[in-house]
Amino acid sequence: MEGELLHRELTFKIRGLLYKVHNELGHYRNEQQYGDALERHLKENNIPFQREYVLPVGFAGERSGRCKVDLLIESKIILELKCVRLLSPDHYYQCQRYLQSACLDLALLINFRSNLITIRRVLNVQGYQKNKPQN
């Protein structure tokens, strides 16, 4: 259905856990600490994930292990954790690179630093262009 959110139920569960982690730890921890707390909650909720997942080589000549995502959830959604004052276009581009290398459609870019957690959905623009209907 057009307009339907990708992985709606799963992202709803993940968002709930992200808010829970932010409420528990506040906004002055580092990425690894948030990752540790999130990992615990994912395990408690039986949500399959891989932490620091190494993406496959994206092009000829690229060294293996160059790109590593913070969390890969159910082999469907990339989570990129940040603790920065403001998210920048570079963070968005990083998610785009990861999505294209992993051949996935959705990443969640999360910033724990602010008083209110920031969660941004990032879609694989290149992947959607291939599937976009031609007029």
Side-chain angles (χ1 to χ4, degrees), residues 28-89:
Y28 293 114
R29 306 293 177 122
N30 65 41
E31 289 176 23
Q32 292 297 321
Q33 290 170 311
Y34 292 113
D36 292 345
L38 182 56
E39 183 175 342
R40 178 175 50 85
H41 285 293
L42 290 167
K43 287 178 182 175
E44 288 172 356
N45 287 274
N46 298 313
I47 298 174
F49 70 94
Q50 293 173 284
R51 189 160 178 194
E52 297 186 6
Y53 176 74
V54 176
L55 295 174
V57 171
F59 58 88
E62 180 184 21
R63 283 191 248 148
S64 179
R66 177 75 62 185
C67 294
K68 189 183 328 179
V69 300
D70 292 327
L71 290 140
L72 178 62
I73 310 294
E74 289 189 4
S75 298
K76 296 177 185 175
I77 301 172
I78 291 172
L79 297 189
E80 189 57 31
L81 309 180
K82 299 294 180 194
C83 294
V84 294
R85 195 169 74 76
L86 295 170
L87 291 173
S88 74

Side-chain angles (χ1 to χ4, degrees), residues 15-28:
R15 289 174 70 91
L17 297 178
L18 291 166
Y19 283 109
K20 187 178 276 191
V21 166
H22 191 261
N23 288 339
E24 289 173 1
L25 300 183
H27 59 277
Y28 293 114

